[in-house]
Amino acid sequence: MDAIDPDDPRPASQQIANFLRAAILTRKFSPGEKLPSGPQLVERYSVAKATVEQAIRILREEGLVVSRKGSGVYVRERTERPVGLRPHIERAFESSAVTLDFAGFSGETLHGAVAEPIDRIREGRLRPDTLSVRLLIPDASIPWSLPARTDDLADSPAFRRRAARIVERHAMAIVDSVEELARLGLVSTATAQVRSYPAVPLFKLYILNGEQAFFGFYPVQEHELELDGESVAIWDLMGKDATLFHFAREVDPDTKDAQFVSQSQMWFESIWNSVARDYRP
């Protein structure tokens, strides 16, 4: 049986949430199945009621469970649910071999999501054996179909220059942080690579440890930007407004979740190893 580790710096509520999450994602608890009751979890883990309630709150905020008044807590029926990315990335870094593949516009959201686990590695609270991060971004040196000027749908070189600066600020910051971990000897093998390819992504994709995929479409919205001293109306790809859906590989390779993760990884590898080129800031 899973047990609370008193030497683990994470609070007991987080440890319990981790145990239950793993059971949900590996289908030990099936979609729609009721979780053990609060009193049962209190007895199982020898903790206070408030600790169990906080663990359930964590899972509910992640979209993994729903509470039904007077009935209990149940695993969500649908696994391809909107989710928050950050807690999943933080847990992925608890593995001994960490791989993180990203395809999207700039890596800005990813930069924020990896900050906490990288800090925990620096503090000695996490110690993966290997860490590999790969980012696929659009080639800003060639014209784009989107984003585009709203008046004539024309490519905007000024916007592409702006986008390149965003990439340098976020994607390259991830590279610097990962390479620092290797230089300091905090991770035996730590690599980070950025490659660009000749297409504009209409979606963002994250693949964690080859076991989980997070996918979301970029909404296209109009807004005004200051470009080269001129106010320009742009049809832009709004990464922060993208709703992510979560797919987890399971024991059965024929589930749609497992197939989505596998196909996502195959797509990523095909682009990475064919038309993508090493990014040059």
Side-chain angles (χ1 to χ4, degrees), residues 139-145 155 160 200:
D139 186 347
S141 69
I142 61 177
W144 289 346
S145 55
D155 168 63
R160 285 189 280 113
V200 177

Side-chain angles (χ1 to χ4, degrees), residues 18-257:
N18 289 351
F19 297 147
L20 294 175
R21 183 185 305 104
I24 291 170
L25 294 179
T26 57
R27 289 299 198 270
K28 292 177 182 175
F29 291 120
S30 301
E33 184 175 349
K34 184 178 180 180
L35 294 185
S37 68
Q40 288 173 322
L41 293 173
V42 165
E43 181 179 359
R44 175 182 297 183
Y45 295 109
S46 300
V47 295
K49 177 183 177 182
T51 301
V52 167
E53 291 175 346
Q54 176 59 24
I56 296 300
R57 186 176 301 114
I58 291 171
L59 299 179
R60 189 165 54 242
E61 290 174 353
E62 294 175 7
L64 287 170
V65 302
V66 292
S67 297
R68 299 175 185 167
K69 189 173 181 179
S71 179
V73 178
Y74 294 80
V75 179
R76 275 191 184 274
E77 291 283 357
R78 300 180 65 214
T79 56
E80 56 277 73
R81 56 198 168 275
V83 294
L85 177 69
R86 187 183 300 267
H88 293 274
I89 286 184
E90 292 177 357
R91 285 190 298 277
F93 271 75
E94 296 173 4
S95 300
S96 60
V98 181
T99 63
L100 201 167
D101 293 331
F102 165 79
F105 203 70
S106 69
E108 182 175 358
T109 301
L110 179 62
H111 184 200
V114 299
E116 175 66 20
I118 287 178
D119 282 345
R120 291 176 66 188
I121 293 175
R122 291 193 187 104
E123 296 165 359
R125 298 169 63 192
L126 286 177
R127 184 70 187 236
D129 295 324
T130 62
L131 169 60
S132 171
V133 181
R134 298 185 296 177
L135 295 88
L136 272 175
I137 59 171
D139 186 347
S141 69
I142 61 177
W144 289 346
S145 55
L146 279 173
R149 299 172 66 102
T150 59
D151 54 359
D152 57 4
L153 297 183
D155 168 63
S156 171
F159 186 96
R160 285 189 280 113
R161 289 192 293 271
R162 176 181 180 272
R165 292 193 296 271
I166 294 174
V167 168
E168 291 176 26
R169 186 162 63 248
H170 296 288
M172 300 313 296
I174 295 172
V175 173
D176 291 342
S177 296
V178 172
E179 290 180 346
E180 180 190 45
L181 298 178
R183 287 196 305 272
L184 295 175
L186 295 173
V187 180
S188 298
T189 303
T191 61
Q193 298 172 272
V194 182
R195 290 185 179 180
S196 61
Y197 65 110
V200 177
L202 298 180
F203 60 86
K204 59 169 59 177
L205 172 69
Y206 304 83
I207 307 172
L208 311 184
N209 294 344
E211 296 294 328
Q212 300 182 72
F214 298 81
F215 178 92
F217 290 105
Y218 285 123
V220 176
Q221 297 181 9
E222 178 183 0
H223 68 276
E224 296 276 338
L225 290 175
E226 192 74 18
L227 299 173
D228 291 347
E230 176 190 5
S231 181
V232 181
I234 292 286
W235 290 116
D236 199 0
L237 302 171
M238 308 303 292
K240 293 182 179 179
D241 294 333
T243 298
L244 291 179
F245 292 86
H246 179 208
F247 301 84
R249 189 190 300 278
E250 298 151 16
V251 176
D252 183 357
D254 293 327
T255 64
K256 61 182 178 181
D257 273 37

